[in-house]
Amino acid sequence: MKKTILITGAGTGIGRDAAFALAAHGHRVIATTFNVAQADALDQQAKERALNIEVFKLDITVPQDREQVLSIDIDVLINNAAVGESGSLAEVDMGRVRRAFEINVFSTLELTQLTLRGMIARERGTVLLVSSIAGRLPMPFLMPYSMTKFALSAAGAGLRAELDKLHKNVHVALIEPGAIHTGFNQLMTDRKYAWMGEQSYFKHLVPKLKAEEKRTFDFLEARDTRSIVAQIVKAAEAKRPRLRYVAPWPQGVMVRLARIFGV
Ligand SMILES: NC(=O)c1ccc[n+]([C@@H]2O[C@H](COP(=O)([O-])OP(=O)(O)OC[C@H]3O[C@@H](n4cnc5c(N)ncnc54)[C@H](OP(=O)(O)O)[C@@H]3O)[C@@H](O)[C@H]2O)c1
């Protein structure tokens, strides 16, 4: 069955590739972007691929932008938009942590609430929350981001159980990508170096941290978004999606083992 699918943060990375894949499957795809320039570029890229995608700007932190979803009968909402933030919890400015929560958690849930109105009334719908394996394992120096994804994964599991009790055929599932090369991880890990000055507790560790981060991502990151996009398509098309969709699978296995052994 062809569905109407709205994706946030689709100007780049996983969101953009998921929009292309879902449109190629024949769905009506509404790909929303952080700003107008991204919307124009995405519109152009879709045309070059001969894909029919509707595009507009939807900054999820802007209430008027969010309200646009009220006029669309959305079957699947893919909450993909997010920002990365890094630094030690011993010294990171709480304003940075709040901003990450504002975007990755609170605005995401506000958009979800608006979309749920129509889904519950029509007794049909799926909400996907793009979380992360960083929402299952605490990641040192990435906690400002990692905590937002822990919150989002918890929210998704709880909201899913609540909606199940309504028996309205409205489902919630978590998409949990491992490290994937979109540029997101590099931007996120670098953010802390912009403010970790002379007074940082960890100043002496900076060269080591940078080298470790480079090694980790060079080793771990999937080179493209294919595996996670396949999981997004599967979850979006499922009649009753399961709770979690993780990819690439070796990173999913790593997380399970780490949790079992209490790392
Ligand atoms: N790549 C990974 O390794 C990885 C791993 C686990 C989870 N994830 C998750 O996967 C999702 C996509 O990430 P990605 O790797 O594809 O990175 P990305 O290309 O940076 O995608 C995130 C998108 O969200 C947009 N965005 C930021 N703030 C927004 C706002 N207020 N309203 C609307 N859009 C906003 C960004 O716009 P700008 O580019 O203009 O900021 C960007 O287009 C995110 O939820 C991320 O947390 C990624």
Side-chain angles (χ1 to χ4, degrees):
M1 192 184 124
K2 299 306 169 199
K3 300 186 178 191
T4 298
I5 302 175
L6 187 137
I7 313 179
T8 63
T12 58
I14 295 169
R16 179 183 51 198
D17 293 352
F20 291 155
L22 288 160
H25 274 224
H27 298 289
R28 176 188 173 202
V29 174
I30 303 163
T32 68
T33 62
F34 179 48
N35 57 39
V36 174
Q38 286 175 347
D40 291 345
L42 181 61
D43 193 42
Q44 187 56 37
Q45 290 160 14
K47 286 195 176 103
E48 284 161 14
R49 287 171 167 75
L51 290 171
N52 191 13
I53 295 179
E54 294 157 56
V55 182
F56 58 84
K57 176 241 177 195
L58 194 169
D59 177 341
I60 64 168
T61 64
V62 176
Q64 302 91 299
D65 281 12
R66 289 197 296 261
E67 280 165 15
Q68 298 175 97
V69 301
L70 290 171
S71 58
I72 309 168
D73 287 352
I74 298 169
D75 296 313
V76 182
L77 169 66
I78 306 179
N79 286 296
N80 166 77
V83 291
E85 193 58 77
S86 58
S88 167
L89 287 179
E91 59 187 15
V92 64
D93 183 316
M94 277 304 136
R96 289 180 179 270
V97 181
R98 276 198 194 94
R99 176 177 166 274
F101 268 88
E102 193 54 54
I103 297 166
N104 298 1
V105 183
F106 304 134
S107 297
T108 295
L109 291 176
E110 284 181 299
L111 184 74
T112 298
Q113 286 185 346
L114 288 180
T115 310
L116 280 174
R117 281 191 208 169
M119 288 182 174
I120 291 171
R122 289 189 302 278
E123 304 202 7
R124 187 179 76 236
T126 293
V127 173
L128 303 182
L129 297 168
V130 180
S131 185
S132 171
I133 61 169
R136 307 202 73 202
L137 276 183
M139 307 218 165
F141 299 99
L142 284 187
M143 290 314 294
Y145 169 74
S146 185
M147 289 193 301
T148 67
K149 295 300 189 176
F150 266 83
L152 197 63
S153 285
L159 179 61
R160 176 184 171 97
E162 289 162 3
L163 293 176
D164 280 353
K165 293 205 184 298
L166 287 182
H167 302 290
K168 296 281 190 188
N169 193 30
V170 177
H171 310 284
V172 179
L174 296 167
I175 306 294
E176 295 185 328
I180 291 166
H181 189 68
T182 61
F184 184 87
N185 294 314
Q186 289 68 20
L187 273 178
M188 171 165 62
T189 48
D190 280 354
R191 284 178 81 92
K192 61 183 175 299
Y193 300 122
W195 55 263
M196 281 175 71
E198 284 303 314
Q199 71 290 5
S200 169
Y201 299 127
F202 303 93
K203 185 186 166 286
H204 61 292
L205 290 178
V206 165
K208 197 166 166 245
L209 277 177
K210 284 187 177 173
E212 265 173 26
E213 286 162 359
K214 182 166 181 343
R215 259 201 317 276
T216 305
F217 288 125
D218 282 354
F219 170 71
L220 216 55
E221 277 191 331
R223 292 293 105 198
D224 61 56
T225 62
R226 265 180 293 187
S227 62
I228 196 64
V229 166
Q231 293 301 306
I232 292 174
V233 171
K234 202 170 174 184
E237 292 181 340
K239 237 176 147 182
R240 286 186 58 83
R242 55 177 200 260
L243 173 61
R244 287 177 209 282
Y245 293 80
V246 186
W249 70 264
Q251 296 187 45
V253 171
M254 259 169 45
V255 167
R256 276 181 184 222
L257 290 175
R259 282 171 68 95
I260 290 169
F261 292 107
V263 176

